[in-house]
Amino acid sequence: MKAKFVRKLVVMTACAVMSLTLFTACGDDADSNQGGSSSNGGQSGEKTPAATQGAETPSDGGYTFTYKGTTISMKEDMETVKAALGEPASYFESESCAFQGMDKVFTYGSVVITTYPDGDKDYVYSIELKDDTVETPEKICIGSAKSAVSDAYGAPSSETDTAYVYTKGSCNLTFIFADDAVTGITYVAKTE
Amino acid sequence: MRKKRIISAAVVAVLTVACLYVLQRLVVPKYQRGIVEGSMVEEYYRDESPHEVVFIGDCEVYENFSTIEMWRNYGITSYIRGSAQQLVWQSYYLLEDTLRYETPKVVVFNVLALKYNEPQNEAYNRMSIDGMKWSEAKIDNIKASMTKEESFIDYVFPLLRYHSRWSELTEDDFKHIFSKDLVTHNGYYMRVDTKPQGEFPSPLPLADYTLGEKAMGYLQKMADLCKENGIELVLIKAPTEYPHWYDEWDVQVKAFAEKNGLNYINYIPLQEEIGLDMSKDTYDAGLHLNTQGAEKMADYFGRWLKDNYDLTDYREDEKIAGIWKEKIDFYDEMKEQQFYELNKYGELKSFGANAIEK
Amino acid sequence: MEEIIEILQDLHPDVDFETCDTLIDDKIIDSFDIVTIISEINENFDVVIPAEEIIPENFNSAKALSELVKRLSDE
Amino acid sequence: MLFTSIEFIAFLALVFLLYYVLPKKCQWPLLLIFSYAFYWIADPRYIIFILVTTVSAYLITLKLAAINTASSEYISAHKELAKEEKKAYKAAMKAKKWRWLLLCLFINIGILAVTKYTNFVIGNINSFLDGESKIKAVDMIIPMGISFYTFQTVGYVIDVYRGKQEVQRNPFKLALFVSFFPQLVQGPISRYGEMSKTLFSEHRFSGKVFSFGMMRILWGYFKKVVIADRLITAVTVLVGDTKLYTGSYVFVAMLFYAFELYCDFTGGIDITIGIGEAMGIRLPENFNLPYFSKNIKEYWNRWHITMGTWFTDYIFYPISVCGPMLKISKWSRKHLGEFIGKRVPVYLSSFAVWFTTGIWHGAAWNFIVWGLMNFVVIMISQELEPLYARFHEKFKVRGRVPYEVFQVIRTVLLMSAIRMFDCYRNVPLTFKMVGTMFTEFNPQIIFDGSLLKLGLGAADYIVLAAGFIIVLGVSLVKLKLVSVREALYERPAILYFGAMALLLVATLLFGAYGVGYDSSQFIYNQF
C-alpha cells in the first residue's frame, strides 16, 4: 500500500514537472507566439477576446507628430494629449447638426489640433503646423524645400501640382507647396 | 387535429407580425423634441398645399430661411426639404421624391454639402432617409448613402436597426407610436436664442481642393432633372462662414453654374447687404442663423426670387391663404413660447439641446 | 475467459463481469480502461487488438472480449 | 456568410423553399449545389481546397475498397491456404492499404497543417533567430471550416480502410458529405456511416419535423445573439486591460466567458443541427449539458462530443494499440514495474490527444498549454480516483444532491479557469492573471457598479440574467426529459407556436446585433 502511494506520488510529480517545463519553455517566447496566433486568426481573430497589452498607444504605425516631447498620433484620445500638453492657448468648438457631437479645435502655439467625437470621447482628427517654429519628427517645417520633403519621406503616396500626400497607417501627411517650398503641413486621420 | 394546428400556426404568425410591427414603431426614434431634425423629411408629406419654391440641402437651408417670413412678405409658398448633413445625392433623391408629388417652379440647393464625396455618418443617413416614403428614389438614396457598416435591410425593417433602443425608450416613444406632432415650419427649424459669433479657427489648408466626382456628378444630375421638368435651379451658399467655404470651391461651383446656365449666389460676402449682424442673428456662435437672422435672410432672398422668377402671390388665393394662416399661427405661437422661455430662463428649455430626452 | 475477467476485475473490483453485457453502453469502462485492457491482453495472450476492433460489440462483455481474443489468435 | 447575417438567413430560406418544392430526387443534389455556393460566396478560392480533399478521399477510398474486396475474394477462393500463408497475404494487403491511407493523410492533414500552422512554425523559429534573419510570416488563406471537413473526411477514409464502412461510389454524394454547408462553419464532426442514413434520402415535408427544426434554430439564435454576443463585449473589455482588471474581475471574466462560450458554441450547433432537422437530416449531437458534469472527464464526454469521440477513435486508440506503443508498454512493465508500465500507454496516448486537441483549437502555444492543462487535470483526477472512492464511501456523499451540486460547480470553475488561456492568449500572462484571483481581494467590484463600466448597462445585465434563467431552466427540464420540444408539442398548439414566436420576438428585440454591436463570428469558426 505504501509503495503504491509512493509510486503514485512519483507519477504525479512527473506530471507536474512535465507541465511546468512546458509552461516555462513557451513563456520565453511569448511574444512570437502572439504574433503567430494573430496572423493565423485572420478571419475571426477579432472576435475572440485577446488581451492587447500596451493598449495606451493606439498608433498603428502611421505618421506621428511630436510637440514638446509628446508624441501625438491620429485617432488618439484627446484627453491623453491634453494631459500631456496642458490647456490649449485657444480653444474653439462647434456643435454639429442634430447633436451628433462636437467638433473641437485646440491651438497650442503654432500647432492646431482638431478632434472628432466618437461616443463620449474626442479623438485627434488633424494636426496642422502653422509656422516654421515647429517641425515634423523628420525635420521638415514650413519653408523647407520640396526636395527636402522627398529626401525625408521618399516618394509620396499621391501628389497634386501643389501637394504631396504620404499615407501610412491611419494617417495622411500632407505637404502643400508654393514655389517649391513647403507652405502647409497637415496630419489628417484617414476616415474609412 | 391537424387542421387545428395549422390554424394555430397561422394565428400565431399573424399576431407575431402585428407585434413586431408595433414594436418597430415603438423603437424607431420619434425626433419630437431636442433632436427634431429626423422629423423633417417625413413632415413634407403631411403638407397638403403646393409649393412653388423647394429648398434642398443641409442645415444651411433649414436653419437659415424662414418660410413663413417669405410667405408673409411675398406670398411665396415654399418648403424646405432639409436634413442634418444632407449629402448631395440625398438632396438629389429628395428632389426626385418631391417630383412624385409636385413640380415647383424654383428649386434652391445649398452647395456646402459638395465638400462631401463619400457617405459620412450613419446617424445622419438615417435622419435624411428614414422619413422618406418608399419609392425608387428612396431605394437609390439608400444605396448611394450607406456607409460600409450599414446594410439595406436595416432600412427596410428599422426594427433591426433600432431594436437596441428598447432599454432607452422615452415617454415620447410611447406617445407618438402612431402619430407625431409637427416640429418645423414648412421645413424651417426655429431658434430664437442668440449666441454671438466669435472667432473661427483658420481653415486647414487642403492638399486637393477639387470637389469630389460623385458630389459634382449628382449636382449635374440635379441640374439635368430640373431642366427636364422645367424647374429653375438656384445654387446658393448660405451666409454663414463656418464650416469654411474655400474660394477654390467657390470657383468650381461658379464654373458649374455658368456652364449649366444657373444662378449661383454666395451670400457670405453679402452679410451686410442682407442686414445680418452676426453678433445678434445667430444662435450657435455663427454656424447657423437664429429666427431674427433667418427672417432677414428670407426677406432678402424672397425679394430676389420675386424679382427674378415668375412666382405667384398666393396671399390672394383664399384657400391657400387659409392653410398658411394656420402655419403662421403655429409659427408665432412657437416663437412666443421660445421668447418666453428665453426671458424666463435665459435659454431655451423645451427646444434644442436642453430638450433632448435622457 | 477467467484471465480476462481477472484483468477486468483488476480495473473495477465492484462489477460483476460474468453477467454484465453493457460495459460500454452503460459507460462502465471508459477509453482508459480499454487501452489498459488491450495492453494487458497483449501482455498475457500475445494478441494485438487493432484499432478497428475497438467497437462496443467487442467490449460490452467479458464473453465478447474473450471471443475477440480467440478469433484474433486464430487468425 | 455568418449565421447571424441577413444574407445567411435569406440563403437558408431559399434552400428550405427549394428543398421542399423541387422533386424529391433533387434534394441532395440541391444541397450539394448550395453547399458549394456557400463556399463560393465566402471565397471562391476555398473551393479548390475542398475539391482536393473530396477528390483525394474519393479516389483513395475506391482503391481501398477494391483492395478489401479483392483480398476477401482471394481468401474465399483459396480456402486451401495454410494459416500462415493467409496471414502473410493479409499482411501484404494491409501494407498496401496502409500506403494508400498514408497518402490520403499526407494530402489532407498536409493541407490543414500548411494552411493553419505555417505561420505558427515560422513564429517559433523566429524566436530563435535574431532580427535580421527572421522569416516573414506568410499571407495564408485558411479555408473556412477546414479542420471540420478534413477531420470528417479523414474519419470516413479510415473507416473504409478498416473495412467498417461501405465505400461511396458516387463522387457527388461524397462531395456533399464533405461540404454540407451548415456544418462547415463550426462542426459538428459527423461520421459518414451515421450521416449517410439521412443525408441522401428523400424527405417529404412534415410540419412537425420542419417546425422542430425551426424551433431549434430559433433557440440557437436566441442563445447566440441575445446572450453570447452581448456578453462578449464585457469579456473583451475585461481581458483587454490586464492592468486594471485583476482579482475578482478575472473571476467575473472567467464566469462570463464560460457562459458566453457555452451560448455561442451550443447556439451555433443548435442552428446547424436545426437546419439539418428541418430538412429531415440528422446530424450528431455535440453537447449533452456539459455544465452538469461532475468531473472533467465527464465534461469532455459532454462538451464538443463529436470532436472528443473523433480523437478517441482516430487518435487515442490507434496510438495506444500500435506496435511501438505495445513495445514501450512491455518494456516499461519490465523495467519500471507493473504500476507505471500499465499507465504508460494511457498517458502517452492521452498526451498526444490533448496536445493535438490544443493545437487543433488554434495555432498558438496558449492553446497547446490549454490542451495539456486538461491532460494534467484529467490524469490527476484519474490517479486520485481511489482516494475519491474512499472518501465517498466514508462520508456516504455519492448521489446526494448538495454534493453533486458541489461537484458540478467545481468542474465548471476548473474548466473555466483552464479556459482563460484562450482569453488572454498568452501563457505567462494567464498564470499571472488567474493568480491575481487569489492574491488580490476586491470582491466589492461586483456590487459597486464597476460591472456597469464594461460596456454593458443595467438593462443588459437584466437581459443576461433572464437569459441565464431561461437557459438554466431549459437545461433542468432537459435533465428530466428526453426532448423539450416533444413535450411542448404535446401541449396545445397555440402554446407550441407561441413559444417559437416568443423566441423570435425576443431575439429580434433583445439581440445584440446591428449598429452598436460588433457583428461577431462564431468563436469556433477558426478551428
Side-chain angles (χ1 to χ4, degrees), chain B residues 63-83:
Chain B
E63 295 186 55
N64 290 351
F65 294 85
S66 165
T67 49
I68 302 298
E69 190 70 3
M70 287 203 320
W71 164 268
R72 263 207 271 246
N73 296 357
Y74 306 103
I76 294 173
T77 53
S78 66
Y79 202 99
I80 301 172
R81 294 211 77 180
S83 57

PDB file of all heavy atoms in Angstrom, chain B residues 63-83:
ATOM      1  N   GLU B  63     -32.071  76.026 -41.336  1.00  0.00           N
ATOM      2  CA  GLU B  63     -31.955  76.927 -40.202  1.00  0.00           C
ATOM      3  C   GLU B  63     -31.796  78.378 -40.631  1.00  0.00           C
ATOM      4  O   GLU B  63     -31.744  79.265 -39.786  1.00  0.00           O
ATOM      5  CB  GLU B  63     -30.759  76.510 -39.320  1.00  0.00           C
ATOM      6  CG  GLU B  63     -30.986  75.150 -38.701  1.00  0.00           C
ATOM      7  CD  GLU B  63     -29.911  74.747 -37.710  1.00  0.00           C
ATOM      8  OE1 GLU B  63     -29.677  75.509 -36.775  1.00  0.00           O
ATOM      9  OE2 GLU B  63     -29.323  73.668 -37.901  1.00  0.00           O
ATOM     10  N   ASN B  64     -31.687  78.631 -41.924  1.00  0.00           N
ATOM     11  CA  ASN B  64     -31.347  79.982 -42.353  1.00  0.00           C
ATOM     12  C   ASN B  64     -32.444  80.702 -43.134  1.00  0.00           C
ATOM     13  O   ASN B  64     -32.326  81.894 -43.413  1.00  0.00           O
ATOM     14  CB  ASN B  64     -30.076  79.955 -43.203  1.00  0.00           C
ATOM     15  CG  ASN B  64     -28.848  79.627 -42.364  1.00  0.00           C
ATOM     16  OD1 ASN B  64     -28.926  79.588 -41.130  1.00  0.00           O
ATOM     17  ND2 ASN B  64     -27.739  79.384 -43.021  1.00  0.00           N
ATOM     18  N   PHE B  65     -33.492  79.989 -43.518  1.00  0.00           N
ATOM     19  CA  PHE B  65     -34.542  80.628 -44.308  1.00  0.00           C
ATOM     20  C   PHE B  65     -35.897  80.416 -43.637  1.00  0.00           C
ATOM     21  O   PHE B  65     -36.336  79.280 -43.477  1.00  0.00           O
ATOM     22  CB  PHE B  65     -34.581  80.037 -45.719  1.00  0.00           C
ATOM     23  CG  PHE B  65     -33.349  80.325 -46.517  1.00  0.00           C
ATOM     24  CD1 PHE B  65     -32.234  79.503 -46.412  1.00  0.00           C
ATOM     25  CD2 PHE B  65     -33.305  81.426 -47.372  1.00  0.00           C
ATOM     26  CE1 PHE B  65     -31.086  79.779 -47.143  1.00  0.00           C
ATOM     27  CE2 PHE B  65     -32.152  81.700 -48.099  1.00  0.00           C
ATOM     28  CZ  PHE B  65     -31.034  80.871 -47.988  1.00  0.00           C
ATOM     29  N   SER B  66     -36.525  81.499 -43.243  1.00  0.00           N
ATOM     30  CA  SER B  66     -37.840  81.371 -42.633  1.00  0.00           C
ATOM     31  C   SER B  66     -38.899  81.337 -43.735  1.00  0.00           C
ATOM     32  O   SER B  66     -39.165  82.332 -44.399  1.00  0.00           O
ATOM     33  CB  SER B  66     -38.100  82.545 -41.694  1.00  0.00           C
ATOM     34  OG  SER B  66     -39.470  82.594 -41.390  1.00  0.00           O
ATOM     35  N   THR B  67     -39.492  80.173 -43.901  1.00  0.00           N
ATOM     36  CA  THR B  67     -40.514  80.022 -44.949  1.00  0.00           C
ATOM     37  C   THR B  67     -41.719  80.913 -44.671  1.00  0.00           C
ATOM     38  O   THR B  67     -42.331  81.444 -45.592  1.00  0.00           O
ATOM     39  CB  THR B  67     -40.989  78.560 -45.000  1.00  0.00           C
ATOM     40  OG1 THR B  67     -41.297  78.147 -43.658  1.00  0.00           O
ATOM     41  CG2 THR B  67     -39.933  77.664 -45.587  1.00  0.00           C
ATOM     42  N   ILE B  68     -42.022  81.037 -43.403  1.00  0.00           N
ATOM     43  CA  ILE B  68     -43.191  81.826 -43.026  1.00  0.00           C
ATOM     44  C   ILE B  68     -42.981  83.305 -43.389  1.00  0.00           C
ATOM     45  O   ILE B  68     -43.875  83.974 -43.901  1.00  0.00           O
ATOM     46  CB  ILE B  68     -43.464  81.679 -41.510  1.00  0.00           C
ATOM     47  CG1 ILE B  68     -43.682  80.212 -41.147  1.00  0.00           C
ATOM     48  CG2 ILE B  68     -44.651  82.539 -41.091  1.00  0.00           C
ATOM     49  CD1 ILE B  68     -44.861  79.541 -41.799  1.00  0.00           C
ATOM     50  N   GLU B  69     -41.760  83.785 -43.136  1.00  0.00           N
ATOM     51  CA  GLU B  69     -41.453  85.178 -43.454  1.00  0.00           C
ATOM     52  C   GLU B  69     -41.556  85.423 -44.964  1.00  0.00           C
ATOM     53  O   GLU B  69     -42.040  86.471 -45.398  1.00  0.00           O
ATOM     54  CB  GLU B  69     -40.045  85.510 -42.944  1.00  0.00           C
ATOM     55  CG  GLU B  69     -39.679  86.973 -42.978  1.00  0.00           C
ATOM     56  CD  GLU B  69     -40.451  87.808 -41.941  1.00  0.00           C
ATOM     57  OE1 GLU B  69     -41.225  87.232 -41.166  1.00  0.00           O
ATOM     58  OE2 GLU B  69     -40.258  89.036 -41.938  1.00  0.00           O
ATOM     59  N   MET B  70     -41.140  84.439 -45.752  1.00  0.00           N
ATOM     60  CA  MET B  70     -41.229  84.594 -47.207  1.00  0.00           C
ATOM     61  C   MET B  70     -42.689  84.648 -47.653  1.00  0.00           C
ATOM     62  O   MET B  70     -43.049  85.335 -48.603  1.00  0.00           O
ATOM     63  CB  MET B  70     -40.496  83.461 -47.920  1.00  0.00           C
ATOM     64  CG  MET B  70     -39.005  83.626 -47.803  1.00  0.00           C
ATOM     65  SD  MET B  70     -37.959  82.832 -49.012  1.00  0.00           S
ATOM     66  CE  MET B  70     -38.615  81.309 -49.332  1.00  0.00           C
ATOM     67  N   TRP B  71     -43.503  83.904 -46.971  1.00  0.00           N
ATOM     68  CA  TRP B  71     -44.942  83.969 -47.255  1.00  0.00           C
ATOM     69  C   TRP B  71     -45.508  85.310 -46.835  1.00  0.00           C
ATOM     70  O   TRP B  71     -46.184  85.995 -47.598  1.00  0.00           O
ATOM     71  CB  TRP B  71     -45.677  82.841 -46.529  1.00  0.00           C
ATOM     72  CG  TRP B  71     -47.148  83.050 -46.446  1.00  0.00           C
ATOM     73  CD1 TRP B  71     -47.842  83.658 -45.451  1.00  0.00           C
ATOM     74  CD2 TRP B  71     -48.110  82.710 -47.445  1.00  0.00           C
ATOM     75  NE1 TRP B  71     -49.168  83.703 -45.730  1.00  0.00           N
ATOM     76  CE2 TRP B  71     -49.377  83.132 -46.966  1.00  0.00           C
ATOM     77  CE3 TRP B  71     -48.029  82.089 -48.697  1.00  0.00           C
ATOM     78  CZ2 TRP B  71     -50.550  82.955 -47.697  1.00  0.00           C
ATOM     79  CZ3 TRP B  71     -49.195  81.905 -49.409  1.00  0.00           C
ATOM     80  CH2 TRP B  71     -50.440  82.330 -48.908  1.00  0.00           C
ATOM     81  N   ARG B  72     -45.203  85.674 -45.615  1.00  0.00           N
ATOM     82  CA  ARG B  72     -45.742  86.922 -45.068  1.00  0.00           C
ATOM     83  C   ARG B  72     -45.395  88.103 -45.956  1.00  0.00           C
ATOM     84  O   ARG B  72     -46.226  88.947 -46.237  1.00  0.00           O
ATOM     85  CB  ARG B  72     -45.171  87.162 -43.670  1.00  0.00           C
ATOM     86  CG  ARG B  72     -46.128  86.689 -42.575  1.00  0.00           C
ATOM     87  CD  ARG B  72     -45.925  87.475 -41.307  1.00  0.00           C
ATOM     88  NE  ARG B  72     -44.903  86.862 -40.450  1.00  0.00           N
ATOM     89  CZ  ARG B  72     -45.180  86.329 -39.263  1.00  0.00           C
ATOM     90  NH1 ARG B  72     -46.396  86.325 -38.784  1.00  0.00           N
ATOM     91  NH2 ARG B  72     -44.217  85.792 -38.544  1.00  0.00           N
ATOM     92  N   ASN B  73     -44.129  88.154 -46.382  1.00  0.00           N
ATOM     93  CA  ASN B  73     -43.686  89.331 -47.130  1.00  0.00           C
ATOM     94  C   ASN B  73     -44.001  89.275 -48.607  1.00  0.00           C
ATOM     95  O   ASN B  73     -44.190  90.303 -49.242  1.00  0.00           O
ATOM     96  CB  ASN B  73     -42.175  89.527 -46.952  1.00  0.00           C
ATOM     97  CG  ASN B  73     -41.827  89.817 -45.503  1.00  0.00           C
ATOM     98  OD1 ASN B  73     -42.727  89.922 -44.655  1.00  0.00           O
ATOM     99  ND2 ASN B  73     -40.547  89.937 -45.203  1.00  0.00           N
ATOM    100  N   TYR B  74     -44.006  88.050 -49.188  1.00  0.00           N
ATOM    101  CA  TYR B  74     -44.141  87.998 -50.649  1.00  0.00           C
ATOM    102  C   TYR B  74     -45.194  87.009 -51.134  1.00  0.00           C
ATOM    103  O   TYR B  74     -45.388  86.860 -52.331  1.00  0.00           O
ATOM    104  CB  TYR B  74     -42.793  87.622 -51.284  1.00  0.00           C
ATOM    105  CG  TYR B  74     -41.684  88.546 -50.829  1.00  0.00           C
ATOM    106  CD1 TYR B  74     -40.769  88.139 -49.883  1.00  0.00           C
ATOM    107  CD2 TYR B  74     -41.608  89.853 -51.343  1.00  0.00           C
ATOM    108  CE1 TYR B  74     -39.764  88.986 -49.444  1.00  0.00           C
ATOM    109  CE2 TYR B  74     -40.610  90.714 -50.910  1.00  0.00           C
ATOM    110  CZ  TYR B  74     -39.692  90.284 -49.954  1.00  0.00           C
ATOM    111  OH  TYR B  74     -38.720  91.133 -49.520  1.00  0.00           O
ATOM    112  N   GLY B  75     -45.829  86.298 -50.228  1.00  0.00           N
ATOM    113  CA  GLY B  75     -46.807  85.324 -50.682  1.00  0.00           C
ATOM    114  C   GLY B  75     -46.175  84.130 -51.384  1.00  0.00           C
ATOM    115  O   GLY B  75     -46.828  83.431 -52.152  1.00  0.00           O
ATOM    116  N   ILE B  76     -44.892  83.922 -51.096  1.00  0.00           N
ATOM    117  CA  ILE B  76     -44.204  82.777 -51.716  1.00  0.00           C
ATOM    118  C   ILE B  76     -44.536  81.509 -50.929  1.00  0.00           C
ATOM    119  O   ILE B  76     -44.414  81.480 -49.706  1.00  0.00           O
ATOM    120  CB  ILE B  76     -42.673  82.989 -51.727  1.00  0.00           C
ATOM    121  CG1 ILE B  76     -42.322  84.168 -52.640  1.00  0.00           C
ATOM    122  CG2 ILE B  76     -41.944  81.729 -52.182  1.00  0.00           C
ATOM    123  CD1 ILE B  76     -40.856  84.552 -52.587  1.00  0.00           C
ATOM    124  N   THR B  77     -44.971  80.466 -51.627  1.00  0.00           N
ATOM    125  CA  THR B  77     -45.201  79.181 -50.954  1.00  0.00           C
ATOM    126  C   THR B  77     -43.938  78.347 -51.113  1.00  0.00           C
ATOM    127  O   THR B  77     -43.559  77.977 -52.209  1.00  0.00           O
ATOM    128  CB  THR B  77     -46.373  78.429 -51.587  1.00  0.00           C
ATOM    129  OG1 THR B  77     -46.133  78.329 -52.996  1.00  0.00           O
ATOM    130  CG2 THR B  77     -47.679  79.141 -51.356  1.00  0.00           C
ATOM    131  N   SER B  78     -43.290  78.108 -49.996  1.00  0.00           N
ATOM    132  CA  SER B  78     -42.027  77.367 -50.106  1.00  0.00           C
ATOM    133  C   SER B  78     -41.990  76.240 -49.081  1.00  0.00           C
ATOM    134  O   SER B  78     -42.719  76.265 -48.083  1.00  0.00           O
ATOM    135  CB  SER B  78     -40.842  78.303 -49.888  1.00  0.00           C
ATOM    136  OG  SER B  78     -40.844  78.771 -48.555  1.00  0.00           O
ATOM    137  N   TYR B  79     -41.143  75.279 -49.344  1.00  0.00           N
ATOM    138  CA  TYR B  79     -40.927  74.189 -48.393  1.00  0.00           C
ATOM    139  C   TYR B  79     -39.440  73.848 -48.385  1.00  0.00           C
ATOM    140  O   TYR B  79     -38.799  73.824 -49.425  1.00  0.00           O
ATOM    141  CB  TYR B  79     -41.737  72.933 -48.749  1.00  0.00           C
ATOM    142  CG  TYR B  79     -41.932  72.047 -47.539  1.00  0.00           C
ATOM    143  CD1 TYR B  79     -43.120  72.095 -46.818  1.00  0.00           C
ATOM    144  CD2 TYR B  79     -40.912  71.208 -47.093  1.00  0.00           C
ATOM    145  CE1 TYR B  79     -43.280  71.318 -45.674  1.00  0.00           C
ATOM    146  CE2 TYR B  79     -41.063  70.442 -45.952  1.00  0.00           C
ATOM    147  CZ  TYR B  79     -42.250  70.495 -45.243  1.00  0.00           C
ATOM    148  OH  TYR B  79     -42.402  69.736 -44.116  1.00  0.00           O
ATOM    149  N   ILE B  80     -38.925  73.609 -47.189  1.00  0.00           N
ATOM    150  CA  ILE B  80     -37.511  73.251 -47.104  1.00  0.00           C
ATOM    151  C   ILE B  80     -37.396  71.753 -46.865  1.00  0.00           C
ATOM    152  O   ILE B  80     -37.783  71.245 -45.809  1.00  0.00           O
ATOM    153  CB  ILE B  80     -36.818  74.014 -45.955  1.00  0.00           C
ATOM    154  CG1 ILE B  80     -36.944  75.518 -46.162  1.00  0.00           C
ATOM    155  CG2 ILE B  80     -35.340  73.601 -45.874  1.00  0.00           C
ATOM    156  CD1 ILE B  80     -36.464  76.343 -44.974  1.00  0.00           C
ATOM    157  N   ARG B  81     -36.910  71.045 -47.857  1.00  0.00           N
ATOM    158  CA  ARG B  81     -36.658  69.611 -47.636  1.00  0.00           C
ATOM    159  C   ARG B  81     -35.205  69.444 -47.202  1.00  0.00           C
ATOM    160  O   ARG B  81     -34.362  68.928 -47.917  1.00  0.00           O
ATOM    161  CB  ARG B  81     -36.955  68.798 -48.893  1.00  0.00           C
ATOM    162  CG  ARG B  81     -38.430  68.820 -49.268  1.00  0.00           C
ATOM    163  CD  ARG B  81     -38.861  67.559 -49.939  1.00  0.00           C
ATOM    164  NE  ARG B  81     -39.044  66.475 -48.966  1.00  0.00           N
ATOM    165  CZ  ARG B  81     -39.416  65.245 -49.305  1.00  0.00           C
ATOM    166  NH1 ARG B  81     -39.597  64.924 -50.563  1.00  0.00           N
ATOM    167  NH2 ARG B  81     -39.570  64.318 -48.376  1.00  0.00           N
ATOM    168  N   GLY B  82     -34.963  69.918 -46.015  1.00  0.00           N
ATOM    169  CA  GLY B  82     -33.599  69.852 -45.499  1.00  0.00           C
ATOM    170  C   GLY B  82     -33.468  68.740 -44.486  1.00  0.00           C
ATOM    171  O   GLY B  82     -34.447  68.181 -44.006  1.00  0.00           O
ATOM    172  N   SER B  83     -32.237  68.404 -44.172  1.00  0.00           N
ATOM    173  CA  SER B  83     -31.969  67.472 -43.084  1.00  0.00           C
ATOM    174  C   SER B  83     -30.522  67.650 -42.685  1.00  0.00           C
ATOM    175  O   SER B  83     -29.727  68.189 -43.446  1.00  0.00           O
ATOM    176  CB  SER B  83     -32.247  66.029 -43.512  1.00  0.00           C
ATOM    177  OG  SER B  83     -31.480  65.690 -44.638  1.00  0.00           O
TER     178      SER B  83
END
